[in-house]
Amino acid sequence: MKAMLLRVGIDKSSDGVLALIFPDGSFEYIPLSEKDEKSTENRTYQDLTGTRGKLISSYLPSSVAQRKVHLDPEFTTFTYGDVGRKANYLLKLNPGDLLVFYMGLTPNSVAEYPEALYITGYFTVKTVLDFKNIPLPQVKGIQEKYSHNSHLKRRSDENSMVLVVGSPEKSKLLDKAILISAKKLNKLGRAYHAVSPPLEKLLGIKGSIQRSIPPRFIEDTDKLVNLRELLGM
């Protein structure tokens, strides 16, 4: 068994904003906006309701709120898909492995928590589907079965995507975010997000986790036990 940690969600480079964390540690999962103009995704942030019962668009600037969403990962049928370099990393996952998601969060109003990176959910891998090895008629069936996932609506990717499907009983969007990063300065004096010292010790990973590539893998048995406890599994 192993775990892969991957950054997801709306961020400043994609849409100029971060999702929110609240004083009690709860948060809103806000996905990226859809950049593929040929995608058949029609939902916008105005069509998504958050965990607090409010429209996701209410947490966003008006310039962002009307954009179409790229809901991936999605926590209804527990799927995450991608192509290219990320897809190659996803192919390293096997049934029973953990795909752990983290994202950038910023305080809603009262700064009980810092603007940082937080673990926000996970999948226990049920299966990994490599669309390059699946006949097109079967791909169409997968797209229909997991239609909640926006990446499956990118027709340009249907021959090259890798889709991870999580076990519904062993996958979840967390109720409370788990702080994973601390800010450090590079040689130019610019701040970046690195694994915090407590999490370095707990999980055995270190260095910058600002970008989603490369993802971080945890394979040490003791560190995996620590991760499962951290996630409340």
Side-chain angles (χ1 to χ4, degrees):
M1 176 188 167
K2 61 182 173 296
M4 186 173 92
L5 276 65
L6 183 66
R7 183 171 182 174
V8 298
I10 197 168
D11 59 41
K12 292 181 179 179
S13 63
S14 70
D15 295 283
V17 295
L18 294 175
L20 299 177
I21 185 167
F22 300 98
D24 64 353
S26 64
F27 63 95
E28 286 292 358
Y29 166 48
I30 304 180
L32 299 165
S33 63
E34 180 56 75
K35 306 302 184 185
D36 187 337
E37 295 181 356
K38 296 182 180 180
S39 170
T40 60
E41 178 61 79
N42 292 316
R43 292 170 296 180
T44 72
Y45 292 111
Q46 295 173 320
D47 297 310
L48 300 183
T49 301
T51 56
R52 293 179 166 232
K54 297 175 62 176
L55 293 178
I56 292 296
S57 57
S58 66
Y59 300 112
L60 298 170
S62 57
S63 59
V64 177
Q66 297 180 12
R67 293 177 184 175
K68 293 181 179 180
V69 299
H70 184 73
L71 187 53
D72 180 36
E74 55 85 17
F75 292 88
T76 299
T77 54
F78 302 101
T79 61
Y80 175 77
D82 221 318
V83 296
R85 291 180 64 194
K86 283 186 185 178
N88 291 333
Y89 285 112
L90 295 177
L91 287 172
K92 298 178 183 292
L93 295 170
N94 298 305
D97 288 345
L98 291 176
L99 176 55
V100 180
F101 302 108
Y102 66 94
M103 57 189 293
L105 298 175
T106 193
N108 178 39
S109 55
V110 181
E112 294 287 337
Y113 293 85
E115 181 172 295
L117 299 176
Y118 295 81
I119 294 174
T120 52
Y122 65 89
F123 293 170
T124 300
V125 178
K126 180 179 180 181
T127 188
V128 180
L129 302 172
D130 185 353
F131 282 29
K132 291 194 296 291
N133 300 322
I134 301 175
L136 187 57
Q138 292 183 32
V139 168
K140 298 297 185 184
I142 295 168
Q143 290 170 333
E144 292 175 2
K145 182 176 182 180
Y146 299 115
S147 61
H148 204 65
N149 188 303
S150 295
H151 210 112
L152 288 164
K153 301 180 182 184
R154 289 183 174 182
R155 300 310 184 207
S156 59
D157 290 349
E158 64 185 10
N159 295 319
S160 57
M161 192 172 75
V162 172
L163 183 73
V164 177
V165 181
S167 169
E169 299 81 15
K170 300 178 181 180
S171 306
K172 69 179 299 184
L173 183 67
L174 298 179
D175 296 322
K176 302 290 180 70
I178 301 169
L179 180 64
I180 190 176
S181 76
K183 286 187 178 180
K184 292 187 176 182
L185 299 178
N186 63 17
K187 294 179 180 179
L188 299 176
R190 295 174 180 170
Y192 67 95
H193 293 289
V195 181
S196 67
L199 269 293
E200 280 188 17
K201 183 177 180 181
L202 194 70
L203 302 180
I205 57 175
K206 61 182 180 179
S208 175
I209 50 171
Q210 183 127 343
R211 302 185 182 279
S212 59
I213 295 294
R216 296 307 185 90
F217 283 91
I218 302 172
E219 300 185 68
D220 179 88
T221 300
D222 291 339
K223 303 305 183 185
L224 286 167
V225 170
N226 292 342
L227 175 63
R228 291 176 65 88
E229 291 180 354
L230 187 69
L231 296 173
M233 299 181 71

